Amino acid sequence: LEPLGAFIRESRAEEPRIDGSSYSDSLYLDALVLLENLIREERWHDAIRCAEIVYLHAQEGNNFIERKQILNAGLRAAIELKDEFGQTSILIELADTVVQQNELNEAEEILKRSLNLARSNKNVEHEVKIIDRLANLFNDMDNHAKAFYFRQQAVSLLGSIDNKGIQFETLANFGVALVRLRYGQPKQAISLLQSALQIAINENNTYPIARIYHFLGVALTAAQNEEEAIVSLRNALKFAEQNRQKIWELRAKSKLGNIYLMQGQVENARLCYSEARKLAITLDDRLAHAANSGNLGTVYEELGDKKEAVKYLREALNIFEENNAEQAQITRDRINKLL
Protein backbone atom coordinates (compact mmCIF):
# COMPACT_ATOMS: atom_id res chain seq x y z
CA LEU A 1 0.00 0.00 0.00
CA GLU A 2 2.73 2.51 0.87
CA PRO A 3 4.64 2.02 -2.43
CA LEU A 4 1.33 2.21 -4.29
CA GLY A 5 0.51 5.56 -2.67
CA ALA A 6 4.02 6.84 -3.41
CA PHE A 7 3.78 5.73 -7.06
CA ILE A 8 0.41 7.49 -7.47
CA ARG A 9 1.77 10.72 -5.99
CA GLU A 10 5.01 10.66 -8.02
CA SER A 11 3.37 9.73 -11.32
CA ARG A 12 1.04 12.77 -11.14
CA ALA A 13 4.03 14.93 -12.04
CA GLU A 14 4.91 12.84 -15.13
CA GLU A 15 3.97 13.77 -18.68
CA PRO A 16 0.62 12.30 -19.81
CA ARG A 17 0.53 9.45 -22.32
CA ILE A 18 -0.30 9.95 -26.01
CA ASP A 19 -4.00 9.17 -25.31
CA GLY A 20 -4.09 11.85 -22.60
CA SER A 21 -4.17 9.43 -19.66
CA SER A 22 -1.50 9.34 -16.97
CA TYR A 23 0.32 6.58 -15.11
CA SER A 24 -1.36 7.74 -11.92
CA ASP A 25 -4.76 7.03 -13.54
CA SER A 26 -3.73 3.42 -14.23
CA LEU A 27 -2.35 2.96 -10.72
CA TYR A 28 -5.53 4.52 -9.30
CA LEU A 29 -7.68 1.94 -11.11
CA ASP A 30 -5.42 -0.83 -9.73
CA ALA A 31 -5.85 0.65 -6.25
CA LEU A 32 -9.66 0.65 -6.62
CA VAL A 33 -9.57 -3.07 -7.46
CA LEU A 34 -7.29 -3.66 -4.47
CA LEU A 35 -9.74 -1.80 -2.20
CA GLU A 36 -12.63 -4.01 -3.36
CA ASN A 37 -10.55 -7.15 -2.69
CA LEU A 38 -9.54 -5.96 0.78
CA ILE A 39 -13.18 -5.30 1.71
CA ARG A 40 -14.20 -8.71 0.35
CA GLU A 41 -11.44 -10.39 2.38
CA GLU A 42 -12.40 -8.35 5.49
CA ARG A 43 -8.89 -6.96 5.88
CA TRP A 44 -10.20 -3.84 7.54
CA HIS A 45 -6.93 -2.16 8.61
CA ASP A 46 -5.51 -2.47 5.09
CA ALA A 47 -8.85 -1.45 3.56
CA ILE A 48 -9.02 1.84 5.47
CA ARG A 49 -5.40 2.68 4.52
CA CYS A 50 -6.13 1.85 0.89
CA ALA A 51 -9.28 4.01 0.96
CA GLU A 52 -7.21 6.96 2.23
CA ILE A 53 -4.70 6.53 -0.62
CA VAL A 54 -7.24 6.26 -3.44
CA TYR A 55 -9.41 9.06 -2.03
CA LEU A 56 -6.50 11.52 -2.25
CA HIS A 57 -6.41 10.84 -6.00
CA ALA A 58 -10.20 10.84 -6.39
CA GLN A 59 -10.44 14.32 -4.80
CA GLU A 60 -8.76 15.79 -7.88
CA GLY A 61 -11.64 14.78 -10.15
CA ASN A 62 -15.36 15.50 -10.29
CA ASN A 63 -16.56 11.89 -10.15
CA PHE A 64 -18.66 12.29 -7.00
CA ILE A 65 -20.22 8.83 -7.28
CA GLU A 66 -16.77 7.24 -7.20
CA ARG A 67 -15.72 9.46 -4.30
CA LYS A 68 -18.80 8.39 -2.32
CA GLN A 69 -18.05 4.72 -3.04
CA ILE A 70 -14.50 5.08 -1.72
CA LEU A 71 -15.66 6.93 1.40
CA ASN A 72 -18.38 4.36 2.07
CA ALA A 73 -15.78 1.57 1.74
CA GLY A 74 -13.57 3.38 4.26
CA LEU A 75 -16.59 3.95 6.53
CA ARG A 76 -17.45 0.25 6.50
CA ALA A 77 -13.87 -0.60 7.46
CA ALA A 78 -13.94 1.98 10.28
CA ILE A 79 -17.24 0.54 11.59
CA GLU A 80 -15.83 -2.99 11.57
CA LEU A 81 -12.77 -1.75 13.46
CA LYS A 82 -15.03 0.14 15.92
CA ASP A 83 -12.96 3.24 15.10
CA GLU A 84 -15.44 5.99 15.99
CA PHE A 85 -12.90 8.79 15.41
CA GLY A 86 -12.28 7.43 11.90
CA GLN A 87 -16.02 7.09 11.28
CA THR A 88 -16.60 10.73 12.24
CA SER A 89 -13.80 11.99 9.97
CA ILE A 90 -15.09 9.97 7.02
CA LEU A 91 -18.69 11.06 7.59
CA ILE A 92 -17.63 14.73 7.57
CA GLU A 93 -15.82 14.20 4.26
CA LEU A 94 -18.81 12.26 2.91
CA ALA A 95 -21.17 15.11 3.83
CA ASP A 96 -18.91 17.61 2.02
CA THR A 97 -18.98 15.40 -1.09
CA VAL A 98 -22.78 15.05 -0.97
CA VAL A 99 -23.18 18.84 -0.61
CA GLN A 100 -21.15 19.29 -3.79
CA GLN A 101 -23.77 17.11 -5.51
CA ASN A 102 -26.46 19.42 -4.07
CA GLU A 103 -28.02 16.50 -2.14
CA LEU A 104 -28.67 18.68 0.90
CA ASN A 105 -31.15 16.46 2.77
CA GLU A 106 -28.76 13.50 2.58
CA ALA A 107 -25.92 15.74 3.78
CA GLU A 108 -28.03 16.80 6.78
CA GLU A 109 -28.60 13.16 7.79
CA ILE A 110 -24.89 12.34 7.44
CA LEU A 111 -23.84 15.37 9.51
CA LYS A 112 -26.32 14.59 12.28
CA ARG A 113 -25.02 11.01 12.39
CA SER A 114 -21.43 12.28 12.64
CA LEU A 115 -22.45 14.81 15.32
CA ASN A 116 -23.84 12.02 17.51
CA LEU A 117 -20.54 10.12 17.14
CA ALA A 118 -18.45 13.19 17.96
CA ARG A 119 -20.52 13.88 21.07
CA SER A 120 -20.37 10.28 22.25
CA ASN A 121 -16.56 10.42 21.93
CA LYS A 122 -16.42 13.90 23.54
CA ASN A 123 -14.43 15.14 20.51
CA VAL A 124 -15.13 18.87 20.69
CA GLU A 125 -13.03 19.78 17.62
CA HIS A 126 -15.08 17.41 15.48
CA GLU A 127 -18.27 18.67 17.10
CA VAL A 128 -17.50 22.32 16.23
CA LYS A 129 -16.55 21.38 12.65
CA ILE A 130 -19.79 19.48 12.18
CA ILE A 131 -22.00 22.15 13.76
CA ASP A 132 -20.38 24.80 11.55
CA ARG A 133 -21.07 22.63 8.48
CA LEU A 134 -24.68 22.18 9.59
CA ALA A 135 -24.99 25.96 9.81
CA ASN A 136 -23.60 26.32 6.27
CA LEU A 137 -26.01 23.64 5.09
CA PHE A 138 -29.09 25.30 6.60
CA ASN A 139 -27.95 28.59 5.13
CA ASP A 140 -27.88 26.90 1.68
CA MET A 141 -31.38 25.58 2.40
CA ASP A 142 -32.55 29.15 3.21
CA ASN A 143 -33.31 28.15 6.80
CA HIS A 144 -31.41 31.13 8.22
CA ALA A 145 -32.86 30.94 11.73
CA LYS A 146 -31.62 27.35 12.14
CA ALA A 147 -28.25 28.28 10.62
CA PHE A 148 -27.92 31.09 13.16
CA TYR A 149 -28.83 28.71 16.00
CA PHE A 150 -26.03 26.32 15.00
CA ARG A 151 -23.52 29.18 14.62
CA GLN A 152 -24.27 30.18 18.23
CA GLN A 153 -23.73 26.59 19.37
CA ALA A 154 -20.37 26.37 17.59
CA VAL A 155 -19.11 29.63 19.15
CA SER A 156 -20.18 28.47 22.63
CA LEU A 157 -17.84 25.44 22.32
CA LEU A 158 -14.71 27.36 21.27
CA GLY A 159 -13.41 27.75 24.83
CA SER A 160 -12.81 23.97 24.94
CA ILE A 161 -10.41 23.79 21.95
CA ASP A 162 -6.99 25.20 21.02
CA ASN A 163 -7.15 24.75 17.23
CA LYS A 164 -6.68 28.30 15.88
CA GLY A 165 -7.92 27.38 12.41
CA ILE A 166 -11.26 26.11 13.74
CA GLN A 167 -11.56 29.11 16.08
CA PHE A 168 -11.00 31.50 13.19
CA GLU A 169 -13.53 29.84 10.85
CA THR A 170 -16.20 29.60 13.54
CA LEU A 171 -15.85 33.19 14.77
CA ALA A 172 -15.66 34.56 11.23
CA ASN A 173 -18.68 32.58 10.04
CA PHE A 174 -20.78 33.66 13.03
CA GLY A 175 -19.76 37.30 12.65
CA VAL A 176 -20.62 37.20 8.94
CA ALA A 177 -23.94 35.51 9.75
CA LEU A 178 -24.80 38.32 12.19
CA VAL A 179 -24.05 40.91 9.53
CA ARG A 180 -25.87 39.12 6.71
CA LEU A 181 -28.98 38.25 8.68
CA ARG A 182 -29.20 41.76 10.16
CA TYR A 183 -30.19 40.59 13.62
CA GLY A 184 -29.62 44.11 14.91
CA GLN A 185 -26.46 43.02 16.75
CA PRO A 186 -23.63 44.95 15.03
CA LYS A 187 -21.58 45.25 18.26
CA GLN A 188 -21.51 41.46 18.71
CA ALA A 189 -20.67 41.02 15.02
CA ILE A 190 -17.80 43.55 15.33
CA SER A 191 -16.38 41.75 18.37
CA LEU A 192 -16.51 38.31 16.71
CA LEU A 193 -15.04 39.55 13.43
CA GLN A 194 -12.22 41.38 15.25
CA SER A 195 -11.40 38.16 17.15
CA ALA A 196 -11.33 36.18 13.91
CA LEU A 197 -9.16 38.86 12.31
CA GLN A 198 -6.65 38.75 15.16
CA ILE A 199 -6.33 34.96 14.87
CA ALA A 200 -5.73 35.20 11.11
CA ILE A 201 -3.08 37.92 11.60
CA ASN A 202 -1.34 35.97 14.39
CA GLU A 203 -1.32 32.82 12.25
CA ASN A 204 -0.04 34.83 9.24
CA ASN A 205 -3.05 33.59 7.26
CA THR A 206 -3.66 36.52 4.89
CA TYR A 207 -6.02 34.86 2.40
CA PRO A 208 -9.32 35.26 4.35
CA ILE A 209 -8.48 38.69 5.76
CA ALA A 210 -10.09 40.70 2.93
CA ARG A 211 -13.40 38.92 3.51
CA ILE A 212 -13.30 39.58 7.27
CA TYR A 213 -12.35 43.25 6.85
CA HIS A 214 -15.21 43.61 4.35
CA PHE A 215 -17.86 42.29 6.74
CA LEU A 216 -16.30 44.22 9.62
CA GLY A 217 -16.78 47.35 7.51
CA VAL A 218 -20.42 46.41 6.94
CA ALA A 219 -20.95 45.83 10.69
CA LEU A 220 -19.23 49.14 11.58
CA THR A 221 -21.50 50.92 9.08
CA ALA A 222 -24.55 49.33 10.75
CA ALA A 223 -23.19 50.60 14.09
CA GLN A 224 -23.01 54.09 12.51
CA ASN A 225 -19.22 54.17 12.88
CA GLU A 226 -18.57 55.30 9.33
CA GLU A 227 -14.93 56.46 9.67
CA GLU A 228 -13.79 53.12 11.11
CA ALA A 229 -15.89 51.37 8.45
CA ILE A 230 -13.96 53.24 5.74
CA VAL A 231 -10.64 52.16 7.31
CA SER A 232 -11.82 48.54 7.46
CA LEU A 233 -13.03 48.54 3.85
CA ARG A 234 -9.78 50.12 2.66
CA ASN A 235 -7.92 47.31 4.45
CA ALA A 236 -10.23 44.80 2.74
CA LEU A 237 -9.30 46.39 -0.57
CA LYS A 238 -5.57 46.26 0.23
CA PHE A 239 -5.59 42.55 1.13
CA ALA A 240 -7.88 41.70 -1.80
CA GLU A 241 -5.44 43.36 -4.20
CA GLN A 242 -2.47 41.60 -2.57
CA ASN A 243 -4.14 38.19 -2.90
CA ARG A 244 -5.73 38.92 -6.30
CA GLN A 245 -9.23 38.43 -4.91
CA LYS A 246 -11.18 40.52 -7.41
CA ILE A 247 -14.57 39.61 -5.92
CA TRP A 248 -13.58 41.22 -2.59
CA GLU A 249 -12.08 44.21 -4.43
CA LEU A 250 -15.44 44.65 -6.13
CA ARG A 251 -17.43 44.35 -2.91
CA ALA A 252 -15.15 46.67 -0.91
CA LYS A 253 -15.27 49.38 -3.60
CA SER A 254 -19.06 49.14 -3.84
CA LYS A 255 -19.47 49.42 -0.04
CA LEU A 256 -17.03 52.34 0.12
CA GLY A 257 -19.11 54.05 -2.56
CA ASN A 258 -22.21 53.62 -0.39
CA ILE A 259 -20.54 55.25 2.63
CA TYR A 260 -19.09 58.13 0.60
CA LEU A 261 -22.52 58.77 -0.91
CA MET A 262 -24.10 58.84 2.58
CA GLN A 263 -21.43 61.36 3.66
CA GLY A 264 -22.06 63.56 0.63
CA GLN A 265 -18.63 62.77 -0.88
CA VAL A 266 -20.23 62.34 -4.30
CA GLU A 267 -17.03 62.38 -6.39
CA ASN A 268 -15.39 59.70 -4.21
CA ALA A 269 -18.59 57.65 -4.49
CA ARG A 270 -18.55 58.03 -8.29
CA LEU A 271 -14.95 56.78 -8.51
CA CYS A 272 -15.68 53.76 -6.28
CA TYR A 273 -18.84 52.76 -8.16
CA SER A 274 -17.12 53.22 -11.52
CA GLU A 275 -14.23 50.94 -10.50
CA ALA A 276 -16.66 48.41 -8.98
CA ARG A 277 -18.68 48.38 -12.22
CA LYS A 278 -15.52 47.68 -14.27
CA LEU A 279 -14.58 44.80 -11.94
CA ALA A 280 -18.11 43.36 -12.18
CA ILE A 281 -17.83 43.40 -15.99
CA THR A 282 -14.41 41.68 -15.79
CA LEU A 283 -15.83 39.01 -13.46
CA ASP A 284 -19.02 38.71 -15.55
CA ASP A 285 -21.06 39.29 -12.38
CA ARG A 286 -24.21 40.61 -14.04
CA LEU A 287 -26.15 41.59 -10.92
CA ALA A 288 -23.14 43.38 -9.39
CA HIS A 289 -22.74 45.14 -12.75
CA ALA A 290 -26.40 46.23 -12.61
CA ALA A 291 -26.18 47.32 -8.94
CA ASN A 292 -23.14 49.53 -9.56
CA SER A 293 -24.61 50.97 -12.76
CA GLY A 294 -27.70 51.85 -10.71
CA ASN A 295 -25.47 53.42 -8.07
CA LEU A 296 -23.77 55.51 -10.75
CA GLY A 297 -27.24 56.60 -11.87
CA THR A 298 -27.85 57.84 -8.32
CA VAL A 299 -24.52 59.71 -8.28
CA TYR A 300 -25.22 61.50 -11.58
CA GLU A 301 -28.70 62.34 -10.36
CA GLU A 302 -27.08 63.96 -7.29
CA LEU A 303 -24.75 65.88 -9.62
CA GLY A 304 -27.73 67.10 -11.65
CA ASP A 305 -26.65 65.27 -14.83
CA LYS A 306 -29.95 63.64 -15.84
CA LYS A 307 -28.61 62.36 -19.18
CA GLU A 308 -25.83 60.32 -17.56
CA ALA A 309 -28.15 59.23 -14.74
CA VAL A 310 -30.69 57.82 -17.24
CA LYS A 311 -27.91 56.15 -19.26
CA TYR A 312 -26.63 54.16 -16.27
CA LEU A 313 -30.10 53.43 -14.90
CA ARG A 314 -31.12 51.99 -18.30
CA GLU A 315 -28.00 49.84 -18.29
CA ALA A 316 -28.99 48.55 -14.84
CA LEU A 317 -32.61 48.04 -15.91
CA ASN A 318 -31.64 45.88 -18.92
CA ILE A 319 -29.66 43.53 -16.68
CA PHE A 320 -32.33 43.42 -13.96
CA GLU A 321 -34.94 42.53 -16.59
CA GLU A 322 -32.69 39.80 -18.05
CA ASN A 323 -32.52 38.22 -14.59
CA ASN A 324 -36.16 38.86 -13.57
CA ALA A 325 -34.79 40.79 -10.59
CA GLU A 326 -37.20 42.62 -8.28
CA GLN A 327 -35.12 45.82 -8.66
CA ALA A 328 -36.35 46.15 -12.27
CA GLN A 329 -39.61 47.94 -11.39
CA ILE A 330 -37.93 50.33 -8.94
CA THR A 331 -35.30 51.20 -11.57
CA ARG A 332 -37.97 51.68 -14.24
CA ASP A 333 -39.87 54.08 -11.96
CA ARG A 334 -36.69 56.08 -11.30
CA ILE A 335 -36.04 56.46 -15.05
CA ASN A 336 -39.62 57.63 -15.66
CA LYS A 337 -39.25 60.33 -12.98
CA LEU A 338 -36.11 61.65 -14.66
CA LEU A 339 -37.57 61.77 -18.19
Side-chain angles (χ1 to χ4, degrees):
L1 283 170
E2 291 306 326
L4 180 65
F7 282 136
I8 289 174
R9 286 190 295 274
E10 289 169 12
S11 61
R12 285 179 193 166
E14 293 182 7
E15 290 294 320
R17 295 169 171 170
I18 294 171
D19 64 1
S21 65
S22 67
Y23 291 100
S24 62
D25 292 333
S26 299
L27 290 166
Y28 171 62
L29 293 173
D30 290 342
L32 284 175
V33 173
L34 176 60
L35 178 58
E36 288 177 12
N37 290 336
L38 291 169
I39 293 286
R40 192 179 303 114
E41 293 169 15
E42 299 185 359
R43 291 169 57 184
W44 306 119
H45 285 286
D46 289 335
I48 204 163
R49 285 171 60 213
C50 187
E52 288 172 2
I53 290 167
V54 294
Y55 188 70
L56 284 173
H57 184 92
Q59 277 181 307
E60 295 184 357
N62 291 318
N63 190 334
F64 295 110
I65 294 172
E66 201 166 75
R67 281 161 65 173
K68 282 173 71 175
Q69 288 172 343
I70 295 163
L71 288 166
N72 280 317
L75 182 61
R76 184 180 171 191
I79 290 168
E80 293 292 342
L81 292 168
K82 295 182 171 56
D83 176 4
E84 292 191 346
F85 182 91
Q87 289 175 53
T88 310
S89 300
I90 293 166
L91 284 166
I92 292 170
E93 195 67 45
L94 185 57
D96 289 347
T97 301
V98 169
V99 166
Q100 288 178 292
Q101 291 181 279
N102 208 33
E103 295 173 2
L104 304 186
N105 290 327
E106 184 182 351
E108 182 184 350
E109 292 305 313
I110 293 168
L111 286 170
K112 284 179 176 177
R113 180 179 168 189
S114 63
L115 184 59
N116 289 335
L117 276 169
R119 284 174 172 166
S120 70
N121 288 310
K122 297 181 179 177
N123 187 325
V124 183
E125 279 195 18
H126 267 160
E127 190 177 350
V128 172
K129 278 185 182 178
I130 296 160
I131 290 171
D132 204 47
R133 278 170 168 78
L134 277 165
N136 292 337
L137 184 66
F138 284 119
N139 202 49
D140 290 343
M141 296 166 83
D142 291 327
N143 191 338
H144 299 300
K146 209 162 189 178
F148 188 75
Y149 164 76
F150 278 108
R151 296 260 186 248
Q152 287 178 307
Q153 272 200 347
V155 170
S156 71
L157 293 167
L158 288 184
S160 306
I161 62 174
D162 297 318
N163 187 311
K164 297 296 182 187
I166 294 174
Q167 288 178 2
F168 166 77
E169 283 297 328
T170 306
L171 289 167
N173 285 339
F174 188 43
V176 169
L178 283 166
V179 172
R180 280 183 169 159
L181 298 178
R182 298 179 185 177
Y183 268 74
Q185 299 173 36
K187 288 183 180 177
Q188 190 181 0
I190 290 163
S191 175
L192 290 163
L193 289 165
Q194 285 174 336
S195 297
L197 191 60
Q198 197 56 54
I199 291 169
I201 291 167
N202 291 344
E203 296 292 303
N204 198 27
N205 182 11
T206 63
Y207 194 78
I209 287 179
R211 172 176 174 260
I212 300 305
Y213 266 127
H214 169 84
F215 282 107
L216 183 56
V218 175
L220 286 163
T221 306
Q224 299 182 331
N225 193 338
E226 291 170 7
E227 293 308 315
E228 283 193 34
I230 288 171
V231 172
S232 186
L233 289 165
R234 282 177 177 164
N235 281 327
L237 192 55
K238 180 182 77 173
F239 281 95
E241 286 170 348
Q242 282 178 10
N243 290 301
R244 298 179 182 178
Q245 297 167 304
K246 290 193 179 296
I247 187 63
W248 293 110
E249 279 187 62
L250 161 60
R251 291 176 182 177
K253 284 178 177 175
S254 190
K255 291 293 181 188
L256 277 167
N258 293 346
I259 297 173
Y260 287 137
L261 194 59
M262 283 192 295
Q263 292 183 333
Q265 298 185 52
V266 183
E267 182 56 24
N268 280 341
R270 188 190 68 78
L271 290 171
C272 286
Y273 289 143
S274 182
E275 289 171 6
R277 175 180 166 274
K278 287 175 186 174
L279 279 166
I281 291 168
T282 301
L283 293 168
D284 196 26
D285 187 332
R286 298 290 285 162
L287 289 176
H289 177 179
N292 284 286
S293 293
N295 290 335
L296 280 168
T298 302
V299 165
Y300 282 108
E301 191 176 352
E302 287 283 320
L303 292 168
D305 190 337
K306 288 187 179 182
K307 185 179 176 182
E308 283 294 291
V310 169
K311 182 183 94 172
Y312 282 108
L313 287 169
R314 278 181 173 155
E315 184 175 284
L317 178 60
N318 290 336
I319 298 170
F320 286 141
E321 286 179 337
E322 278 175 26
N323 292 275
N324 296 316
E326 61 186 18
Q327 297 97 318
Q329 186 57 53
I330 298 167
T331 308
R332 196 178 296 112
D333 292 342
R334 288 181 63 196
I335 292 169
N336 290 336
K337 284 181 182 178
L338 288 167
L339 291 175

